[in-house]
Amino acid sequence: MADTPATIYLKDYTPPNCLVDQVTLDISIHAGFARVAARLAMRRNPVSAGGPLKLDGEDLQLESLSLDGQPLTASAWRLEGETLVIDEVPDAFVLETVVRIDPDQNTQLSGLYRSKDGYFTQCEAQGFRRITYYPDRPDVMAKFVCTLHADKASFPVLLANGNPVAQGDEDNGRHWATWEDPFAKPAYLFACVAAKLDMVEDYYVTTSGRRVRCAVYVEPGKLDQCDHAMAAIKKSMKWDEDVFGLEMDLDHYMIVAVGDFNMGAMENKGLNIFNTKYVLARPDTATDTDYQNIDRVVAHEYFHNWTGNRVTCRDWFQLSLKEGLTVFRDQQFGMDMHSAGVTRIQEVRGLRAAQFPEDAGPMAHPIRPASYAEINNFYTATVYEKGAEVIRMIHTLIGKQAFRRGMDLYFQRHDGQAVTCEDFISAMQDASGKDLAQFQRWYNQAGTPKLVVRSQFDAAARRYTLEVTQQFPATPYEERMTKDGLPQARGPYHLPIVIGLLDGEGRELPLRLEGETSPVGTQRVLELREAQQRFVFEDVATEPVPSLLRGFSAPVLLDYPYSTAQLTHLMAYDTDAVNRWEAGQRLATGILLEGVAAIQAGKTTNDWIPQDYITALARLLGSAFVEGGDPALVAEALNPPSENVLAEQMEVVDPDAIHGARMTLLRTLARELREAFLAAYLELASDEPYSPEGEQAGRRALRNACLSYLAQLDEAGAQALVVGHFEQAGNMTDTFAALASLASLDIPARHVALDSFYSKWRDEALVVDKWLQVQALSRLPGTTADVRALMTHPAFDIRNPNKVYALVRAFCAANPKHFHGADGEGYRLAADVILQLDPMNPQVASRIARCFDRWRKFDPARQALARQQLERIRAASSLSADVAEVVGKALEA
Ligand code: TRP
Ligand code: ZN
């Protein structure tokens, strides 16, 4: 059995005892190996204790080591596991190392690795130590100069951070280039590339007049898929100037796309490296969602230049300092660029689908965890998405202007530093005057809080009272902390509840709180600080319908006993788009849970679907076509909560009953509203040239939502419509929508479509991913076996993360009916992949292992099957720390 990985604690943080001022790297790439010579100008950290110099190194072959020009004798240094220790160093010195590495065999995609078109790096979080010996921690910031050497014909493009300073040819058809980054940075932001790539460039002139060269580098032949990413760079630069007064600080801003990449993209200073998925787009290869994701990821990485790079993290426990804040920034950008309501709704949906389950499962952790075994396991929905919600709450509590002052102060104080989450909160507190001490509990407590809200209406006194109680159930995180002797004091959160009150006509009431002399608007931010708190509204003539937590103002579960009539009222009249949508989701959830109970009781009827709900959806669909209607919002509202989100509502999850209920609801709606869906489908047809922008994309979203309802009808006519949609589609959004529907239909046209799609797109990797994904998500019986068979198809490659995510993760994370199949075959498939992948790429293997997080929520038979696979994984010899931590916590909790 694998060793339990060692735990690292935040409380053990100590400053580095030696600092690096200047790094000079010389990387020479050859077939089968690379040689890295590093010259580190170092000195003792004046504010830290002495002790030996310790450098991190992983999978390096040390060829030489010298200090101040003198080779170190054998007794002067030693290797302790993955640490190079030198006992005696002077106050200031130059350390030189030469190591040999093997990028061609680097399947982890961390450090320097080979991909199809050349060599690329990924250094966050701890990949730099796989390139050279170094104090690989973010609070060591140095200036870097990097020279690359490689074969000129095979790898004509040589890039690193900063500015190009020199280049030339050398013997044997090789060439070299030197790049210099003027900004001190932590090693995790280092990047270099030696590859054969095509490039498109453009210029952006900043407010203060800096002419920035923006370049996008892609696989040869793909320049026709770069326009959108380039436009996104320039939009992001403009937005950050307009909204935060932050300018690009370098003369070169480069994005390099690579097909083998563990995550979305990486913000290396001036040289971002991107998964091709977030760069390449052409109307016939990318969907509207892909286009939007490109905007968001490009913005995210660009925004990191200030929030992450200029001000970075002291240690990896502070990851949310840069990630939560940068996600918040890319979300604000998204809301400004696209429909604000739809953007926010999609975020709330994502939070519920991924972060809430994480926070209720064995890996639950605060946005700043106090311990971890493997840092790569903490690039989570909690650190990113809940982290962004926490920043958003500060924004709501102190207001936009104070938030901007807080950001200015944060940069004034900390530009060029590696800091903590407290430093950020202090800047916000000092700039706003708001006491944020209690607010910091969001950084230390795990789990999703629950707000129980009850209302009372006193007609005689014309008074409406909301009583709010907050609960914060324990998670396995606290148990672990207690076991480790780090018990966490827990207490109520400080959070904003944005509310409005609607009268019987659907009008917003002016809101006057107890103690106020006159109403202050129709929407208020209530500040909750106590475990129990009441808010009293005066001058309320009739009992209102409360619109609570508008815009999803806090990442909590809301318990309010809404009646069906109240929800229908909110669906029709709430001025807040999120809450209009939310009312529909609540209504659907209630109905679906009744359906689940009916199915469990052996009923096969659909009489648990109220006619009122069908009428409400018909009205909703109609609302897209009136003046001011928003088809994109309607498309969101037509989509009931996913099977996974419904599962979170159940004590013991019954995936078959959930699937059955949801399918029955969709089919019933399709039958009852057939004419309306068909009319909308026809009405929304368009022959405009394709643009991914809001208006058009919204109409396509609604049209494709109608199509997917119609596809549920077990009728030749409806199926012909789907096939026609597939055949006539003029863009990938429509093609993909039709293919996704066809993948779940047991008709000959399914195979015809899948085959023709594959033969058309077999050479376009990202499109092949879509082909794998639709099959992984199929509802048809036999899907688990199909996924297993696809793993041996030439289109699949287990070493490519995008392929694994498209086929295996889609299946495990988004096809609950089959993943949780009662025969245990889904679990066995996942375990097989994890075991096969772990020795090659532990980060990706570990992400698949997270699919077992919720195993204890299922019935005893499924629990036994899942446990069997978890135990089987744990029993493997030499498991990575990544998988060992995830599987260990799953079994332990
Ligand atoms: N900092 C990157 C981002 O959020 C995340 C990232 C990219 C990453 N590649 C990684 C994290 C590899 C860990 C490992 O944009
Ligand atoms: Zn990020």
Side-chain angles (χ1 to χ4, degrees):
M1 193 173 104
D3 296 342
T4 314
T7 306
I8 298 158
Y9 296 95
L10 168 59
K11 68 167 171 49
D12 294 340
Y13 173 84
T14 52
N17 65 0
C18 290
L19 303 176
V20 186
D21 291 317
Q22 176 76 45
V23 182
T24 310
L25 285 175
D26 186 280
I27 302 180
S28 190
I29 294 171
H30 303 268
F33 75 99
R35 182 166 281 116
V36 180
R39 179 188 185 279
L40 312 181
M42 300 189 70
R43 64 190 153 89
R44 282 208 171 270
N45 184 355
V47 305
S48 139
L53 171 64
K54 293 186 174 180
L55 303 174
D56 304 296
E58 199 181 291
D59 286 349
L60 308 175
Q61 246 179 282
L62 186 61
E63 292 191 336
S64 83
L65 174 62
S66 70
L67 201 147
D68 286 333
Q70 298 298 312
L72 278 184
T73 58
S75 61
W77 64 277
R78 62 188 180 276
L79 281 174
E80 289 178 1
E82 298 188 323
T83 311
L84 194 164
V85 185
I86 302 172
D87 280 318
E88 306 285 339
V89 290
D91 286 347
F93 56 97
V94 171
L95 188 83
E96 284 169 288
T97 59
V98 177
V99 299
R100 205 180 136 115
I101 55 178
D102 191 352
D104 292 338
Q105 301 303 317
N106 182 357
T107 54
Q108 295 183 30
L109 313 182
S110 166
L112 178 65
Y113 63 91
R114 173 84 218 214
S115 181
K116 184 157 70 45
D117 303 301
Y119 294 88
F120 303 81
T121 55
Q122 172 54 41
C123 292
E124 187 175 6
Q126 298 177 330
F128 192 69
R129 64 186 61 184
R130 297 169 53 76
I131 296 174
T132 191
Y133 281 103
Y134 198 77
D136 190 7
R137 42 186 290 168
D139 55 355
V140 171
M141 297 173 78
K143 289 194 175 170
F144 284 67
V145 174
C146 176
T147 300
L148 296 162
H149 312 251
D151 183 79
K152 189 171 184 176
S154 305
F155 312 110
V157 175
L158 303 177
L159 308 172
N161 315 88
N163 301 310
V165 291
Q167 65 182 80
D169 290 339
E170 51 196 38
D171 291 348
N172 304 319
R174 292 169 63 81
H175 68 150
W176 62 275
T178 299
W179 290 75
E180 179 169 6
D181 184 351
F183 292 91
K185 64 171 177 287
Y188 83 87
L189 292 173
F190 170 79
C192 67
V193 170
K196 181 179 275 178
L197 300 166
D198 280 354
M199 185 267 287
V200 56
E201 64 186 358
D202 200 345
Y203 287 84
Y204 179 84
V205 180
T206 69
T207 306
S208 67
R210 178 189 294 276
R211 196 169 130 89
V212 183
R213 169 181 167 261
C214 305
V216 178
Y217 291 84
V218 294
E219 175 186 342
K222 296 243 186 298
L223 283 184
D224 61 345
Q225 298 188 44
C226 297
D227 298 354
H228 193 73
M230 180 61 87
I233 295 176
K234 295 192 285 176
K235 279 189 284 184
S236 306
M237 289 182 171
K238 176 80 169 65
W239 188 90
D240 220 10
E241 291 180 0
D242 291 348
V243 177
F244 286 107
L246 299 171
E247 280 190 24
M248 182 59 204
D249 55 14
L250 284 168
D251 299 331
H252 295 264
Y253 185 70
M254 300 174 280
I255 285 184
V256 176
V258 61
D260 297 288
F261 200 74
N262 286 342
M263 303 271 285
M266 181 62 212
E267 70 264 23
N268 318 301
K269 186 81 188 184
L271 180 56
N272 292 181
I273 298 185
F274 271 58
N275 189 320
T276 44
K277 189 173 161 50
Y278 298 112
V279 175
L280 302 177
R282 212 172 52 198
D284 60 334
T285 62
T287 64
D288 293 335
T289 307
D290 293 327
Y291 276 94
Q292 273 196 34
N293 289 340
I294 290 169
D295 274 347
R296 290 290 285 276
V297 177
V298 167
H300 180 96
E301 305 312 329
Y302 174 70
F303 296 160
H304 266 315
N305 191 51
W306 281 93
T307 51
N309 301 3
R310 289 288 288 256
V311 182
T312 194
C313 302
R314 186 192 73 172
D315 55 76
W316 291 118
F317 295 100
Q318 318 298 327
L319 183 57
S320 203
L321 173 74
K322 75 176 175 80
E323 295 305 346
L325 178 55
T326 305
V327 172
F328 170 77
R329 277 151 53 68
D330 85 55
Q331 289 179 350
Q332 296 294 113
F333 171 81
M335 291 179 44
D336 285 351
M337 295 294 137
H338 304 279
S339 150
V342 175
T343 303
R344 184 67 186 145
I345 286 166
Q346 287 167 350
E347 278 152 23
V348 176
R349 215 190 263 286
L351 201 68
R352 282 199 183 122
Q355 200 280 321
F356 282 19
E358 177 167 275
D359 231 350
M363 282 289 288
H365 54 278
I367 63 169
R368 180 178 52 194
S371 72
Y372 60 75
E374 171 52 62
I375 185 57
N376 287 318
N377 285 332
F378 286 81
Y379 287 76
T380 57
T382 297
V383 166
Y384 276 64
E385 265 64 48
K386 187 178 183 178
E389 293 300 316
V390 169
I391 303 297
R392 191 172 189 278
M393 287 191 285
I394 298 175
H395 187 265
T396 307
L397 286 168
I398 69 178
K400 192 175 164 171
Q401 275 136 29
F403 188 87
R404 170 64 200 269
R405 289 199 302 276
M407 290 290 281
D408 292 349
L409 188 58
Y410 176 63
F411 292 119
Q412 237 172 62
R413 286 181 180 170
H414 302 298
D415 188 10
Q417 299 174 7
V419 304
T420 64
C421 298
E422 280 83 2
D423 293 317
F424 180 80
I425 298 281
S426 297
M428 287 293 159
Q429 174 164 298
D430 296 348
S432 66
K434 169 93 62 192
D435 179 353
L436 294 174
Q438 182 189 353
F439 187 84
Q440 298 203 34
R441 287 200 175 118
W442 285 106
Y443 286 83
N444 300 317
Q445 298 180 180
T448 307
K450 183 178 194 171
L451 302 189
V452 179
V453 181
R454 293 296 178 263
S455 58
Q456 280 159 22
F457 178 60
D458 182 340
R462 297 166 62 88
R463 182 173 291 147
Y464 185 69
T465 306
L466 291 173
E467 181 153 65
V468 186
T469 311
Q470 48 169 317
Q471 301 171 353
F472 26 98
T475 72
Y477 177 80
E478 286 85 51
E479 271 166 55
R480 204 176 312 122
M481 290 299 119
T482 307
K483 229 187 286 165
D484 288 355
L486 296 168
Q488 308 278 301
R490 283 164 63 77
Y493 292 91
H494 177 193
L495 60 91
I497 308 177
V498 177
I499 75 144
L501 300 177
L502 301 193
D503 72 8
E505 264 70 51
R507 289 175 306 219
E508 304 253 331
L509 296 182
L511 303 178
R512 175 157 83 84
L513 280 163
E514 194 177 33
E516 292 173 350
T517 51
S518 58
V520 187
T522 55
Q523 175 168 296
R524 301 289 292 265
V525 182
L526 305 180
E527 271 187 58
L528 187 68
R529 289 179 184 266
E530 312 297 327
Q532 190 157 25
Q533 206 169 328
R534 47 173 71 220
F535 302 92
V536 180
F537 297 90
E538 308 282 4
D539 254 347
V540 183
T542 54
E543 178 160 11
V545 179
S547 170
L548 303 165
L549 218 65
R550 280 185 166 172
F552 203 63
S553 61
V556 298
L557 293 158
L558 172 66
D559 174 332
Y560 180 82
Y562 279 114
S563 68
T564 301
Q566 286 179 314
L567 291 174
T568 323
H569 196 66
L570 291 174
M571 252 176 102
Y573 299 112
D574 203 323
T575 51
D576 183 71
V578 173
N579 271 6
R580 270 201 317 279
W581 168 81
E582 177 73 354
Q585 297 291 298
R586 267 176 199 270
L587 211 48
T589 303
I591 293 165
L592 285 163
L593 292 176
E594 297 233 342
V596 168
I599 289 171
Q600 287 178 326
K603 292 194 197 148
T604 52
T605 52
N606 64 355
D607 53 6
W608 41 271
I609 303 172
Q611 191 57 45
D612 285 358
Y613 178 69
I614 299 172
T615 314
L617 282 205
R619 204 181 318 121
L620 185 85
L621 180 55
S623 76
F625 298 93
V626 302
E627 182 74 29
D630 186 342
L633 265 175
V634 173
E636 286 298 334
L638 284 174
N639 187 7
S642 69
E643 291 172 29
N644 282 334
V645 166
L646 290 164
E648 290 299 310
Q649 307 279 319
M650 295 185 70
E651 204 59 50
V652 177
V653 183
D654 182 339
D656 296 320
I658 291 175
H659 181 77
R662 196 168 183 278
M663 290 312 297
T664 302
L665 179 67
L666 297 180
R667 287 200 180 108
T668 304
L669 289 169
R671 273 197 301 274
E672 297 283 328
L673 303 178
R674 169 199 281 112
E675 301 315 319
F677 283 135
L678 189 59
Y681 175 82
L682 296 171
E683 164 85 26
L684 291 162
S686 153
D687 46 20
E688 283 173 275
Y690 176 87
S691 150
E693 298 312 317
E695 169 94 47
Q696 237 194 55
R699 290 166 66 88
R700 262 191 301 274
L702 182 55
R703 185 164 192 250
N704 285 324
C706 293
L707 182 80
S708 98
Y709 271 103
L710 293 166
Q712 306 301 325
L713 295 167
D714 199 9
E715 293 170 12
Q719 290 164 357
L721 188 79
V722 182
V723 173
H725 194 79
F726 177 77
E727 287 169 349
Q728 285 143 39
N731 57 71
M732 182 51 81
T733 307
D734 289 335
T735 307
F736 185 70
L739 192 67
S741 281
L742 285 168
S744 288
L745 294 179
D746 191 11
I747 53 174
R750 173 188 200 264
H751 303 281
V752 177
L754 284 169
D755 289 351
S756 79
F757 187 89
Y758 183 68
S759 53
K760 178 166 181 189
W761 295 112
R762 55 189 301 161
D763 297 323
E764 200 70 51
L766 294 172
V767 185
V768 172
D769 294 346
K770 295 182 194 302
W771 182 78
L772 293 169
Q773 192 198 325
V774 292
Q775 297 179 79
L777 295 180
S778 170
R779 291 186 282 252
L780 293 181
T783 294
T784 309
D786 287 350
V787 170
R788 207 177 258 287
L790 282 168
M791 284 168 50
T792 60
H793 190 284
F796 185 75
D797 176 2
I798 198 164
R799 285 162 311 181
N800 176 256
N802 284 357
K803 295 277 175 281
V804 175
Y805 295 148
L807 185 66
V808 183
R809 193 177 50 183
F811 173 78
C812 298
N815 196 341
K817 174 187 154 77
H818 291 300
F819 176 61
H820 299 288
D823 60 0
E825 280 304 296
Y827 299 156
R828 198 167 64 85
L829 184 152
D832 288 350
V833 172
I834 293 161
L835 287 168
Q836 193 191 345
L837 195 50
D838 191 47
M840 303 179 219
N841 189 331
Q843 284 185 41
V844 176
S846 172
R847 286 184 184 274
I848 303 300
R850 293 294 309 278
C851 297
F852 283 104
D853 265 20
R854 299 305 271 150
W855 71 283
R856 282 184 201 272
K857 261 185 95 72
F858 290 78
D859 54 274
R862 285 188 172 86
Q863 281 195 35
L865 292 164
R867 175 189 287 281
Q868 199 185 335
Q869 297 305 325
L870 285 165
E871 302 274 15
R872 186 182 145 223
I873 298 167
R874 189 164 63 170
S877 55
S878 73
L879 212 54
S880 68
D882 310 55
V883 171
E885 176 172 36
V886 168
V887 169
K889 284 178 176 166
L891 283 166
E892 208 169 86

